[in-house]
Amino acid sequence: MPDPQWLSPEEQRAWVPLAALLFRLPSAFDSQLQRDEGLTFASYMVLAMLAELPSRTMRMSELAAATSTSQSRISRVAGGLERSGFLARSVDPRDGRAVLARLTDAGLAKVQAASAGHVRTVRAAVFDRLSPEQVGQLAAIGTSLIGEDWGEAIDSGRPAASQRRGT
Amino acid sequence: MPDPQWLSPEEQRAWVPLAALLFRLPSAFDSQLQRDEGLTFASYMVLAMLAELPSRTMRMSELAAATSTSQSRISRVAGGLERSGFLARSVDPRDGRAVLARLTDAGLAKVQAASAGHVRTVRAAVFDRLSPEQVGQLAAIGTSLIGEDWGEAIDSGRPAASQRRGT
DNA sequence: CCGGAATATTTGCAGCTGCAAATAAAGTAA
DNA sequence: TTACTTTATTTGCAGCTGCAAATATTCCGG
């Protein structure tokens, strides 16, 4: 393997556009949803995840995992959605530590109203620009990237066990 | 074409993991850089872009375009990096409206010190999980997605010309 | 049943971000 | 030169986010 200290030319050809996407896509979705529905990309995802379940209910921690975000973030987003009347929180009767978030009828109506515009934006930004083959490749790539471990492998920004001076 | 109102099953298979990545990757890079170098992913990118030029200099607007972010964001990030002594800003002598950002020696040293850890994280989160073919596919996909137009096509979250009630 | 460890959420604080308005300089036409 | 339009950047304000500490509850061993 080449110098793991830097990226190979092929990797850079993939890294540059990927980094650009990480800045652009979230901004694009956030601003469309904010402008048209007063929602954040994160808050929309929360509503969308809940809307997919027959029970419209999920524990806060499951919601965090489902949307790939931190618990503190989910807690605040849920707080805002609750204030807006789109979801209601209640302590889980089976485990007093857990909190269940349930989409209200108003919340369901909100996602349904917002989905069309959001999907249109997702298409314009992503799918309309890819061939069917690429959509398949993207699915495979994305799935590989979010696989199993995460905290462990990713968080290891620290040197393999050298360079670490000090105490 | 199928109901553009929603995503096809194949598209959803690509969208779900992509959305997860849009939440996870920025967080992962931000927290590694913050923890180890006191930098933001955005501020690191600014330093890295400047470091690639022999002149180590770029106009604020070019910097914004190069990093795919807004001008206001670049303005603040540059302000912070300047306060830290990593870059210096000066009015462009050829155009009084423009501001030139120049990486200082301390700034160059900073990127060089931070790059190893950052690259390690990028590998752990992305390249170590993809085959060489996938890296090539990702490069092609990413390039397609950030092509030509953007504001125009993406910003059109608005209905084709209906649904628009009120003034 | 008691005390400590583990789990689930929330929140204080500080920093980052976007939008839209403000500021400044350059370009253009008369 | 003057007035008006366009381009480049910064900044006030309000909202969002993460980290780490604070809370609350359950689990476990004796």
Side-chain angles (χ1 to χ4, degrees), chain B residues 32-72:
Chain B
Q32 182 272 315
L33 285 167
Q34 188 70 62
R35 165 166 60 75
D36 299 343
E37 303 290 344
L39 292 174
T40 294
F41 183 29
S43 63
Y44 176 84
M45 290 296 268
V46 167
L47 296 180
M49 296 313 289
L50 291 175
E52 283 182 359
L53 302 175
S55 65
R56 293 188 201 168
T57 304
M58 221 182 282
R59 286 173 60 149
M60 294 299 279
S61 52
E62 297 178 314
L63 218 37
T67 58
S68 290
T69 62
S70 68
Q71 288 209 119
S72 76

Side-chain angles (χ1 to χ4, degrees), chain A residues 5-40:
Chain A
Q5 176 72 23
W6 191 232
L7 300 176
S8 68
E10 301 86 50
E11 291 174 326
Q12 279 203 55
R13 272 199 288 283
W15 175 238
V16 173
L18 174 58
L21 286 177
L22 294 181
F23 280 109
R24 294 185 188 190
L25 292 182
S27 294
F29 301 140
D30 260 322
S31 86
Q32 181 272 315
L33 285 167
Q34 186 71 62
R35 164 167 60 75
D36 299 343
E37 303 289 346
L39 291 175
T40 293

Side-chain angles (χ1 to χ4, degrees), chain A:
Chain A
M1 66 190 89
D3 186 1
Q5 176 72 23
W6 191 232
L7 300 176
S8 68
E10 301 86 50
E11 291 174 326
Q12 279 203 55
R13 272 199 288 283
W15 175 238
V16 173
L18 174 58
L21 286 177
L22 294 181
F23 280 109
R24 294 185 188 190
L25 292 182
S27 294
F29 301 140
D30 260 322
S31 86
Q32 181 272 315
L33 285 167
Q34 186 71 62
R35 164 167 60 75
D36 299 343
E37 303 289 346
L39 291 175
T40 293
F41 183 29
S43 63
Y44 174 83
M45 289 295 269
V46 166
L47 296 180
M49 295 312 290
L50 290 175
E52 284 182 359
L53 301 176
S55 64
R56 294 189 202 168
T57 304
M58 221 182 283
R59 287 173 58 151
M60 295 298 280
S61 52
E62 295 178 315
L63 217 39
T67 58
S68 290
T69 62
S70 67
Q71 288 210 121
S72 77
R73 192 174 176 175
I74 284 298
S75 181
R76 291 176 206 276
V77 169
L81 291 173
E82 183 171 51
R83 241 174 281 120
S84 299
F86 298 142
L87 68 75
R89 283 183 291 186
S90 60
V91 174
D92 183 336
R94 295 198 205 43
D95 183 337
R97 295 168 297 181
V99 171
L100 299 176
R102 181 170 184 297
L103 193 66
T104 62
D105 290 340
L108 181 59
K110 185 65 176 178
V111 219
Q112 296 178 328
S115 68
H118 175 60
V119 169
R120 200 162 16 240
T121 305
V122 171
R123 282 190 175 292
V126 182
F127 299 110
D128 288 349
R129 296 159 180 265
L130 300 177
S131 67
E133 292 76 31
Q134 290 181 307
V135 173
Q137 297 171 348
L138 179 57
I141 291 172
T143 302
S144 297
L145 298 186
I146 57 176
E148 328 89 59
D149 50 329
W150 239 85
E152 310 163 42
I154 308 308
D155 204 15
S156 70
R158 34 180 56 96
S162 53
Q163 199 85 335
R164 210 105 192 111
R165 95 194 89 163
T167 48

